[in-house]
Amino acid sequence: MRAGFIGMVGLPNSGKSTLVNALVGEKVAIVSSKPQTTRKRVLGILNKTGLKNSGLDGADAQFVFVDAPGKIQDQKGLNAFLKQEYASVLLESDILIAVLNVDAPKFTYLEAIVNEVKDTGKPWLAVITKDDLPHPHRTVRLRSLVAECGVPCIAVSATRRAEQMKELLLPLIEEKLPQSPAKLFDDEQFTDQSERDIVAELVREKCFQTLHDELPFGLATKVMDYKRKQDRVYAAVDIVVVKKSHMPIVIGKGGQSLKRIGVLAREEASRLLGAPVDLKTFVKCQEGWVSDPLRWKEYGYVSRV
Ligand SMILES: Nc1nc2c(ncn2[C@@H]2O[C@H](COP(=O)(O)OP(=O)(O)OP(=O)(O)O)[C@@H](O)[C@H]2O)c(=O)[nH]1
Ligand SMILES: [Mg+2]
């Protein structure tokens, strides 16, 4: 059989997490319109067995998609961690997908992604994302850039049918996957994240989606208490901000904003965990945590290199 790690390499906000979620068919990674939503590497696991109309046949295969932060230049604060996570995907994956978003600020940024992926010498292919947006010239230029490298290139859109995209992409990925004597993960596992990680990330996603631009960069979440009892989940989650002045913004007028974050996170966590979730959220301040690598660990940002 074939099995291996498929690393997603692209700019921040290029649609890497959206793509992994669509390919796996589960919410593996959180998504928002803010750049640098993904902070640490997460795995999304897809088994060929059980896939309907996948366009795949023959021996079994396991696809382990590696979602990670996008390519950033800045080294300040937590960005140093994000940069390491980005680099580790290039190093540790068996094959790579260059995720090229048509709405990137500059074409040269996309060329840099292609060059970086190509220079690893690993098998790779390209996916053009956000193809529904009006940038037809970008799509044409990207296609010819990738064609020069002699690798496949598929243009996709999150607004188009995910099944169709899987049919196109999975066979191309499968033929590049290495042979493996066995699966790398159990059949029923769709991610490497624990239930606690999933809840913490969902609360962070709802904060990113609900709050204004200045907040997310210094916002982290941490599960302080977690129990599964008689098929109910009880979770207490701290929402930690970097400045005291951010606390009332997260809470909102009359607690409206925090309430909305809680409701949205609870609904989605209940669906993903397959049990009703009682969720309590607490807003706290940890002055300057983003500049303190010891504190990063507290919020799960643990360096692996
Ligand atoms: N129009 C359009 N928007 C998309 C598409 N794919 C993703 N998006 C949006 O682009 C934004 C970023 O998507 P993500 O999947 O979080 O991107 P990412 O590359 O994981 O971003 P980071 O984790 O911040 O590096 C979100 O608002 C998505 O809804 C697409 O095909 N079309
Ligand atoms: Mg992401």
Side-chain angles (χ1 to χ4, degrees), residues 10-19 21 29-39 67-71 99 103 129-133 156-160:
L11 299 172
N13 217 26
S14 57
K16 301 176 294 300
S17 301
T18 305
L19 188 61
N21 290 343
I30 65 168
V31 168
S32 91
S33 59
K34 317 269 194 303
Q36 302 178 22
T37 300
T38 304
R39 287 180 178 162
D67 186 26
K71 181 179 168 69
V99 180
D103 64 344
T129 54
K130 310 197 187 184
D131 200 36
D132 53 293
L133 297 179
V156 305
S157 156
T159 57
R160 276 199 218 136

Side-chain angles (χ1 to χ4, degrees), residues 62-78:
Q62 188 172 57
F63 303 81
V64 184
F65 296 101
V66 188
D67 186 26
K71 181 179 168 69
I72 47 170
Q73 303 302 336
D74 189 18
Q75 280 277 16
K76 263 190 273 158
L78 193 63

Side-chain angles (χ1 to χ4, degrees), residues 49-94:
T49 39
L51 274 180
K52 281 192 208 113
N53 307 324
S54 62
L56 303 171
D57 49 25
D60 200 3
Q62 188 172 57
F63 303 81
V64 184
F65 296 101
V66 188
D67 186 26
K71 181 179 168 69
I72 47 170
Q73 303 302 336
D74 189 18
Q75 280 277 16
K76 263 190 273 158
L78 193 63
N79 282 339
F81 175 79
L82 267 65
K83 247 187 134 164
Q84 278 177 16
E85 290 292 273
Y86 171 80
S88 78
V89 173
L90 286 162
L91 271 177
E92 293 170 9
S93 305
D94 297 305

Side-chain angles (χ1 to χ4, degrees), residues 29-290:
I30 65 168
V31 168
S32 91
S33 59
K34 317 269 194 303
Q36 302 178 22
T37 300
T38 304
R39 287 180 178 162
K40 64 179 175 184
R41 199 188 87 139
V42 296
L43 304 181
I45 303 151
L46 178 71
N47 294 295
K48 192 164 122 181
T49 39
L51 274 180
K52 281 192 208 113
N53 307 324
S54 62
L56 303 171
D57 49 25
D60 200 3
Q62 188 172 57
F63 303 81
V64 184
F65 296 101
V66 188
D67 186 26
K71 181 179 168 69
I72 47 170
Q73 303 302 336
D74 189 18
Q75 280 277 16
K76 263 190 273 158
L78 193 63
N79 282 339
F81 175 79
L82 267 65
K83 247 187 134 164
Q84 278 177 16
E85 290 292 273
Y86 171 80
S88 78
V89 173
L90 286 162
L91 271 177
E92 293 170 9
S93 305
D94 297 305
I95 73 175
L96 297 168
I97 296 187
V99 180
L100 307 170
N101 51 313
V102 295
D103 64 344
K106 287 185 183 167
F107 192 77
T108 50
Y109 294 172
L110 299 169
E111 285 175 318
I113 296 290
V114 168
N115 288 333
E116 201 152 19
V117 166
K118 199 170 63 178
D119 289 350
T120 63
K122 296 186 179 190
W124 67 283
L125 54 99
V127 173
I128 299 173
T129 54
K130 310 197 187 184
D131 200 36
D132 53 293
L133 297 179
H135 294 283
H137 300 302
R138 272 281 170 87
T139 307
V140 173
R141 275 183 85 187
L142 281 171
R143 277 193 191 283
S144 81
L145 176 70
V146 176
E148 279 170 30
C149 309
V151 303
C153 179
I154 302 279
V156 305
S157 156
T159 57
R160 276 199 218 136
R161 279 180 46 225
E163 285 309 314
Q164 202 178 3
M165 178 192 67
K166 281 165 89 163
E167 273 173 46
L168 283 172
L169 256 180
L170 291 177
L172 295 173
I173 299 172
E174 189 187 18
E175 64 180 40
K176 293 183 190 295
L177 276 182
Q179 291 289 340
S180 173
K183 289 191 176 174
L184 307 170
F185 293 89
D186 292 341
D187 265 344
E188 57 280 1
Q189 208 179 336
F190 70 88
T191 183
D192 61 330
Q193 298 167 96
S194 66
E195 291 193 347
R196 290 174 78 112
D197 294 336
I198 291 173
V199 172
E201 282 290 84
L202 281 177
V203 174
R204 195 165 66 83
E205 179 185 69
K206 301 313 168 198
C207 291
F208 272 47
Q209 290 174 348
T210 307
L211 302 168
H212 293 293
D213 284 352
E214 77 277 17
L215 274 166
F217 187 72
L219 187 146
T221 49
K222 182 176 179 180
V223 174
M224 303 304 288
D225 192 18
Y226 190 89
K227 289 191 255 321
R228 225 185 220 271
K229 250 197 223 160
Q230 288 160 352
D231 250 357
R232 279 191 92 80
V233 172
Y234 299 85
V237 180
D238 278 359
I239 300 172
V240 181
V241 291
V242 77
K243 282 185 190 163
K244 281 221 164 70
S245 59
H246 288 170
M247 291 172 71
I249 310 177
V250 177
I251 295 162
K253 254 194 202 150
Q256 280 305 308
S257 179
L258 186 61
K259 193 171 166 200
R260 188 172 156 71
I261 290 164
V263 168
L264 293 171
R266 192 185 62 226
E267 277 171 8
E268 199 159 344
S270 301
R271 194 181 55 74
L272 268 173
L273 303 178
V277 176
D278 291 337
L279 178 66
K280 290 199 165 53
T281 49
F282 303 90
V283 182
K284 295 188 180 159
C285 176
Q286 185 77 252
E287 206 90 36
W289 74 268
V290 285

